[in-house]
Short mmCIF file of all heavy atoms in Angstrom, two decimals:
data_model
loop_
_atom_site.label_atom_id
_atom_site.label_comp_id
_atom_site.label_asym_id
_atom_site.label_seq_id
_atom_site.Cartn_x
_atom_site.Cartn_y
_atom_site.Cartn_z
N LYS A 1 46.32 44.10 88.97
CA LYS A 1 46.18 44.88 90.21
C LYS A 1 46.65 46.31 89.98
O LYS A 1 46.01 47.26 90.44
CB LYS A 1 46.97 44.25 91.35
CG LYS A 1 46.77 45.04 92.64
CD LYS A 1 47.48 44.51 93.81
CE LYS A 1 47.29 45.31 95.06
NZ LYS A 1 46.87 46.68 94.98
N CYS A 2 47.76 46.50 89.26
CA CYS A 2 48.23 47.85 88.96
C CYS A 2 47.21 48.64 88.17
O CYS A 2 46.95 49.80 88.46
CB CYS A 2 49.55 47.79 88.19
SG CYS A 2 50.94 47.22 89.15
N PHE A 3 46.62 48.00 87.16
CA PHE A 3 45.63 48.70 86.34
C PHE A 3 44.39 49.05 87.17
O PHE A 3 43.79 50.11 86.98
CB PHE A 3 45.28 47.88 85.10
CG PHE A 3 46.21 48.16 83.95
CD1 PHE A 3 47.52 47.73 83.97
CD2 PHE A 3 45.78 48.89 82.85
CE1 PHE A 3 48.39 48.01 82.93
CE2 PHE A 3 46.63 49.17 81.80
CZ PHE A 3 47.95 48.73 81.84
N ASN A 4 44.01 48.18 88.11
CA ASN A 4 42.91 48.51 89.03
C ASN A 4 43.27 49.74 89.85
O ASN A 4 42.45 50.65 90.01
CB ASN A 4 42.60 47.33 89.95
CG ASN A 4 41.61 46.37 89.34
OD1 ASN A 4 40.59 46.77 88.80
ND2 ASN A 4 41.93 45.10 89.39
N ASP A 5 44.49 49.77 90.38
CA ASP A 5 44.94 50.92 91.17
C ASP A 5 44.98 52.19 90.32
O ASP A 5 44.56 53.26 90.77
CB ASP A 5 46.32 50.66 91.78
CG ASP A 5 46.29 49.67 92.93
OD1 ASP A 5 45.18 49.28 93.36
OD2 ASP A 5 47.38 49.28 93.39
N ILE A 6 45.49 52.07 89.11
CA ILE A 6 45.57 53.22 88.21
C ILE A 6 44.18 53.77 87.92
O ILE A 6 43.96 54.98 87.89
CB ILE A 6 46.32 52.86 86.91
CG1 ILE A 6 47.81 52.63 87.21
CG2 ILE A 6 46.13 53.96 85.86
CD1 ILE A 6 48.57 51.97 86.06
N SER A 7 43.21 52.88 87.71
CA SER A 7 41.85 53.32 87.38
C SER A 7 41.24 54.20 88.46
O SER A 7 40.36 55.00 88.19
CB SER A 7 40.95 52.12 87.09
OG SER A 7 40.63 51.42 88.29
N LYS A 8 41.73 54.07 89.70
CA LYS A 8 41.20 54.87 90.81
C LYS A 8 41.74 56.30 90.83
O LYS A 8 41.15 57.17 91.46
CB LYS A 8 41.51 54.18 92.14
CG LYS A 8 40.82 52.84 92.29
CD LYS A 8 41.30 52.11 93.52
CE LYS A 8 40.70 50.71 93.54
NZ LYS A 8 41.34 49.87 94.57
N ILE A 9 42.86 56.54 90.14
CA ILE A 9 43.46 57.88 90.19
C ILE A 9 43.72 58.47 88.79
O ILE A 9 44.16 59.61 88.69
CB ILE A 9 44.78 57.88 91.01
CG1 ILE A 9 45.77 56.84 90.51
CG2 ILE A 9 44.48 57.68 92.49
CD1 ILE A 9 47.11 56.83 91.24
N LEU A 10 43.41 57.73 87.75
CA LEU A 10 43.61 58.20 86.38
C LEU A 10 42.67 59.36 86.09
O LEU A 10 41.51 59.35 86.48
CB LEU A 10 43.35 57.05 85.40
CG LEU A 10 43.54 57.37 83.93
CD1 LEU A 10 44.57 56.43 83.34
CD2 LEU A 10 42.25 57.25 83.19
N THR A 11 43.19 60.38 85.41
CA THR A 11 42.38 61.54 85.03
C THR A 11 42.54 61.81 83.54
O THR A 11 43.36 61.17 82.86
CB THR A 11 42.82 62.79 85.83
OG1 THR A 11 44.20 63.04 85.58
CG2 THR A 11 42.57 62.61 87.32
N ILE A 12 41.78 62.76 83.05
CA ILE A 12 41.85 63.15 81.64
C ILE A 12 43.30 63.47 81.26
O ILE A 12 44.03 64.11 82.02
CB ILE A 12 40.96 64.39 81.37
CG1 ILE A 12 39.49 64.07 81.64
CG2 ILE A 12 41.14 64.94 79.96
CD1 ILE A 12 38.81 63.21 80.60
N ASN A 13 43.70 63.02 80.07
CA ASN A 13 45.03 63.24 79.50
C ASN A 13 46.16 62.50 80.20
O ASN A 13 47.32 62.82 80.01
CB ASN A 13 45.37 64.73 79.39
CG ASN A 13 44.49 65.43 78.38
OD1 ASN A 13 44.16 64.85 77.35
ND2 ASN A 13 44.08 66.64 78.68
N SER A 14 45.82 61.50 81.02
CA SER A 14 46.85 60.66 81.63
C SER A 14 47.45 59.74 80.57
O SER A 14 46.84 59.46 79.53
CB SER A 14 46.25 59.81 82.74
OG SER A 14 45.89 60.59 83.85
N LEU A 15 48.65 59.26 80.88
CA LEU A 15 49.35 58.31 80.02
C LEU A 15 49.69 57.08 80.84
O LEU A 15 50.28 57.20 81.91
CB LEU A 15 50.65 58.94 79.47
CG LEU A 15 51.61 58.02 78.73
CD1 LEU A 15 50.97 57.45 77.46
CD2 LEU A 15 52.91 58.76 78.40
N VAL A 16 49.32 55.90 80.34
CA VAL A 16 49.66 54.64 80.97
C VAL A 16 50.64 53.92 80.05
O VAL A 16 50.36 53.72 78.87
CB VAL A 16 48.41 53.76 81.21
CG1 VAL A 16 48.80 52.42 81.82
CG2 VAL A 16 47.39 54.49 82.08
N ILE A 17 51.80 53.57 80.60
CA ILE A 17 52.83 52.87 79.84
C ILE A 17 53.01 51.49 80.47
O ILE A 17 53.30 51.39 81.66
CB ILE A 17 54.17 53.63 79.85
CG1 ILE A 17 53.98 55.04 79.28
CG2 ILE A 17 55.24 52.85 79.08
CD1 ILE A 17 55.19 55.94 79.45
N LEU A 18 52.84 50.45 79.68
CA LEU A 18 53.01 49.08 80.15
C LEU A 18 54.33 48.54 79.64
O LEU A 18 54.54 48.45 78.43
CB LEU A 18 51.84 48.21 79.68
CG LEU A 18 51.88 46.75 80.07
CD1 LEU A 18 51.98 46.56 81.58
CD2 LEU A 18 50.65 46.03 79.51
N ARG A 19 55.24 48.22 80.57
CA ARG A 19 56.56 47.69 80.21
C ARG A 19 56.69 46.22 80.59
O ARG A 19 57.69 45.59 80.30
CB ARG A 19 57.67 48.52 80.86
CG ARG A 19 57.67 49.96 80.35
CD ARG A 19 58.92 50.68 80.70
NE ARG A 19 60.00 50.22 79.84
CZ ARG A 19 61.28 50.27 80.16
NH1 ARG A 19 61.66 50.74 81.32
NH2 ARG A 19 62.20 49.84 79.33
N SER A 20 55.71 45.68 81.30
CA SER A 20 55.74 44.27 81.70
C SER A 20 55.47 43.39 80.48
O SER A 20 54.75 43.77 79.57
CB SER A 20 54.68 43.99 82.77
OG SER A 20 54.90 44.77 83.92
N THR A 21 56.04 42.19 80.51
CA THR A 21 55.81 41.23 79.42
C THR A 21 54.46 40.56 79.64
O THR A 21 54.21 39.97 80.69
CB THR A 21 56.93 40.18 79.41
OG1 THR A 21 58.19 40.86 79.30
CG2 THR A 21 56.77 39.21 78.26
N ILE A 22 53.59 40.67 78.63
CA ILE A 22 52.24 40.10 78.73
C ILE A 22 51.92 39.34 77.46
O ILE A 22 52.56 39.54 76.42
CB ILE A 22 51.19 41.21 78.96
CG1 ILE A 22 51.24 42.23 77.83
CG2 ILE A 22 51.39 41.88 80.31
CD1 ILE A 22 50.08 43.19 77.81
N PRO A 23 50.92 38.44 77.50
CA PRO A 23 50.52 37.73 76.29
C PRO A 23 50.02 38.69 75.19
O PRO A 23 49.42 39.72 75.49
CB PRO A 23 49.39 36.82 76.76
CG PRO A 23 49.61 36.66 78.24
CD PRO A 23 50.20 37.97 78.68
N VAL A 24 50.27 38.33 73.95
CA VAL A 24 49.84 39.14 72.81
C VAL A 24 48.33 39.39 72.90
O VAL A 24 47.55 38.48 73.15
CB VAL A 24 50.19 38.42 71.48
CG1 VAL A 24 49.60 39.15 70.29
CG2 VAL A 24 51.69 38.27 71.35
N GLY A 25 47.94 40.62 72.70
CA GLY A 25 46.53 41.00 72.69
C GLY A 25 45.97 41.38 74.04
O GLY A 25 44.85 41.88 74.12
N SER A 26 46.71 41.17 75.12
CA SER A 26 46.19 41.45 76.47
C SER A 26 45.89 42.93 76.69
O SER A 26 44.95 43.27 77.40
CB SER A 26 47.17 40.99 77.54
OG SER A 26 47.37 39.60 77.49
N SER A 27 46.69 43.80 76.12
CA SER A 27 46.42 45.24 76.26
C SER A 27 45.04 45.56 75.72
O SER A 27 44.23 46.22 76.38
CB SER A 27 47.46 46.06 75.51
OG SER A 27 48.73 45.88 76.05
N ARG A 28 44.78 45.08 74.53
CA ARG A 28 43.55 45.39 73.82
C ARG A 28 42.33 44.69 74.44
O ARG A 28 41.25 45.26 74.52
CB ARG A 28 43.71 44.98 72.35
CG ARG A 28 42.57 45.32 71.44
CD ARG A 28 42.87 44.95 69.98
NE ARG A 28 43.28 43.58 69.78
CZ ARG A 28 44.54 43.16 69.59
NH1 ARG A 28 45.53 44.03 69.57
NH2 ARG A 28 44.82 41.90 69.40
N THR A 29 42.51 43.44 74.90
CA THR A 29 41.36 42.67 75.37
C THR A 29 41.12 42.74 76.88
O THR A 29 40.01 42.49 77.33
CB THR A 29 41.51 41.19 74.99
OG1 THR A 29 42.69 40.66 75.62
CG2 THR A 29 41.60 41.02 73.48
N LYS A 30 42.16 43.08 77.65
CA LYS A 30 42.00 43.05 79.10
C LYS A 30 42.30 44.38 79.78
O LYS A 30 41.48 44.89 80.53
CB LYS A 30 42.90 41.96 79.69
CG LYS A 30 42.70 41.79 81.18
CD LYS A 30 43.13 40.43 81.63
CE LYS A 30 42.77 40.16 83.05
NZ LYS A 30 41.42 39.74 83.27
N PHE A 31 43.48 44.93 79.56
CA PHE A 31 43.93 46.06 80.38
C PHE A 31 43.31 47.39 79.99
O PHE A 31 42.90 48.16 80.86
CB PHE A 31 45.46 46.12 80.39
CG PHE A 31 46.05 44.87 80.97
CD1 PHE A 31 46.90 44.07 80.22
CD2 PHE A 31 45.73 44.47 82.25
CE1 PHE A 31 47.42 42.91 80.76
CE2 PHE A 31 46.26 43.31 82.80
CZ PHE A 31 47.10 42.53 82.05
N ILE A 32 43.23 47.70 78.72
CA ILE A 32 42.56 48.95 78.30
C ILE A 32 41.08 48.90 78.69
O ILE A 32 40.58 49.85 79.30
CB ILE A 32 42.79 49.23 76.80
CG1 ILE A 32 44.26 49.58 76.56
CG2 ILE A 32 41.85 50.34 76.31
CD1 ILE A 32 44.66 49.68 75.11
N PRO A 33 40.36 47.80 78.38
CA PRO A 33 38.95 47.74 78.80
C PRO A 33 38.76 47.82 80.32
O PRO A 33 37.76 48.39 80.78
CB PRO A 33 38.47 46.39 78.27
CG PRO A 33 39.38 46.08 77.13
CD PRO A 33 40.71 46.67 77.52
N LEU A 34 39.70 47.31 81.08
CA LEU A 34 39.59 47.37 82.54
C LEU A 34 39.51 48.83 83.00
O LEU A 34 38.62 49.20 83.77
CB LEU A 34 40.80 46.67 83.18
CG LEU A 34 40.80 46.51 84.70
CD1 LEU A 34 41.63 45.29 85.07
CD2 LEU A 34 41.32 47.72 85.42
N ILE A 35 40.42 49.66 82.50
CA ILE A 35 40.40 51.08 82.88
C ILE A 35 39.17 51.77 82.30
O ILE A 35 38.50 52.55 82.99
CB ILE A 35 41.70 51.79 82.45
CG1 ILE A 35 42.86 51.32 83.34
CG2 ILE A 35 41.55 53.31 82.54
CD1 ILE A 35 44.21 51.93 83.02
N GLU A 36 38.84 51.50 81.05
CA GLU A 36 37.67 52.14 80.44
C GLU A 36 36.39 51.82 81.20
O GLU A 36 35.56 52.70 81.43
CB GLU A 36 37.53 51.71 78.98
CG GLU A 36 38.57 52.32 78.08
CD GLU A 36 38.43 51.93 76.62
OE1 GLU A 36 37.89 50.83 76.33
OE2 GLU A 36 38.85 52.72 75.77
N ASN A 37 36.22 50.57 81.61
CA ASN A 37 35.00 50.17 82.33
C ASN A 37 34.92 50.79 83.71
O ASN A 37 33.83 51.14 84.17
CB ASN A 37 34.92 48.65 82.44
CG ASN A 37 34.68 48.00 81.09
OD1 ASN A 37 34.13 48.61 80.18
ND2 ASN A 37 35.11 46.76 80.95
N LYS A 38 36.04 50.95 84.38
CA LYS A 38 36.03 51.50 85.74
C LYS A 38 35.95 53.03 85.76
O LYS A 38 35.44 53.61 86.71
CB LYS A 38 37.25 51.02 86.52
CG LYS A 38 37.17 49.55 86.88
CD LYS A 38 38.34 49.13 87.73
CE LYS A 38 38.26 47.69 88.10
NZ LYS A 38 37.38 47.44 89.22
N THR A 39 36.47 53.68 84.72
CA THR A 39 36.52 55.15 84.72
C THR A 39 35.52 55.79 83.78
O THR A 39 35.24 56.99 83.89
CB THR A 39 37.91 55.64 84.29
OG1 THR A 39 38.15 55.25 82.93
CG2 THR A 39 38.99 55.10 85.20
N LYS A 40 35.04 55.04 82.81
CA LYS A 40 34.18 55.56 81.74
C LYS A 40 34.93 56.51 80.82
O LYS A 40 34.33 57.24 80.03
CB LYS A 40 32.91 56.22 82.28
CG LYS A 40 32.09 55.34 83.18
CD LYS A 40 31.67 54.06 82.50
CE LYS A 40 30.84 53.18 83.42
NZ LYS A 40 31.00 51.77 83.18
N LEU A 41 36.26 56.53 80.92
CA LEU A 41 37.09 57.34 80.04
C LEU A 41 37.59 56.46 78.90
O LEU A 41 37.94 55.30 79.11
CB LEU A 41 38.28 57.93 80.81
CG LEU A 41 37.95 58.85 81.97
CD1 LEU A 41 39.22 59.24 82.73
CD2 LEU A 41 37.21 60.09 81.49
N LYS A 42 37.62 56.99 77.68
CA LYS A 42 38.01 56.22 76.50
C LYS A 42 39.48 56.40 76.18
O LYS A 42 39.98 57.52 76.08
CB LYS A 42 37.18 56.65 75.28
CG LYS A 42 35.71 56.32 75.37
CD LYS A 42 35.44 54.87 75.61
CE LYS A 42 35.08 54.14 74.36
NZ LYS A 42 34.97 52.69 74.57
N CYS A 43 40.14 55.26 75.98
CA CYS A 43 41.54 55.26 75.58
C CYS A 43 41.67 55.87 74.19
O CYS A 43 40.89 55.56 73.29
CB CYS A 43 42.08 53.83 75.60
SG CYS A 43 43.83 53.73 75.20
N GLY A 44 42.64 56.75 74.02
CA GLY A 44 42.86 57.41 72.74
C GLY A 44 42.13 58.74 72.63
O GLY A 44 42.49 59.58 71.82
N LEU A 45 41.12 58.92 73.45
CA LEU A 45 40.39 60.20 73.50
C LEU A 45 40.64 60.92 74.81
O LEU A 45 41.04 62.08 74.83
CB LEU A 45 38.88 59.97 73.33
CG LEU A 45 38.42 59.44 71.99
CD1 LEU A 45 36.92 59.13 72.01
CD2 LEU A 45 38.71 60.47 70.89
N ASP A 46 40.37 60.22 75.91
CA ASP A 46 40.46 60.83 77.24
C ASP A 46 41.79 60.55 77.93
O ASP A 46 42.23 61.31 78.78
CB ASP A 46 39.34 60.31 78.14
CG ASP A 46 37.96 60.58 77.55
OD1 ASP A 46 37.74 61.72 77.10
OD2 ASP A 46 37.13 59.66 77.54
N TRP A 47 42.38 59.42 77.63
CA TRP A 47 43.67 59.02 78.20
C TRP A 47 44.42 58.22 77.15
O TRP A 47 43.85 57.82 76.13
CB TRP A 47 43.50 58.25 79.51
CG TRP A 47 42.77 56.94 79.39
CD1 TRP A 47 41.42 56.76 79.30
CD2 TRP A 47 43.34 55.63 79.32
NE1 TRP A 47 41.13 55.43 79.19
CE2 TRP A 47 42.28 54.70 79.21
CE3 TRP A 47 44.64 55.15 79.36
CZ2 TRP A 47 42.48 53.33 79.12
CZ3 TRP A 47 44.84 53.76 79.28
CH2 TRP A 47 43.77 52.88 79.16
#
């Protein structure tokens, strides 16, 4: 839900820091793609 909310206000050069405990690989397979798909911005390039 947080990542959905972030995707609505994230802009170029934003930084997202995840401090919650999540299963291994979730950042790569779920959370980064969630923002990329909703914003069309690429992690590592745009944010």
Side-chain angles (χ1 to χ4, degrees):
K1 182 180 180 339
C2 291
F3 273 71
N4 273 314
D5 287 353
I6 291 167
S7 73
K8 295 172 187 169
I9 54 177
L10 181 123
T11 58
I12 297 286
N13 293 323
S14 290
L15 171 63
V16 178
I17 302 171
L18 179 57
R19 296 194 75 205
S20 300
T21 304
I22 58 168
V24 173
S26 298
S27 296
R28 184 176 54 258
T29 62
K30 185 157 189 81
F31 299 120
I32 291 172
L34 186 153
I35 289 179
E36 288 181 332
N37 292 334
K38 289 184 179 278
T39 65
K40 305 302 180 211
L41 299 174
K42 293 304 261 174
C43 183
L45 294 174
D46 302 314
W47 63 281

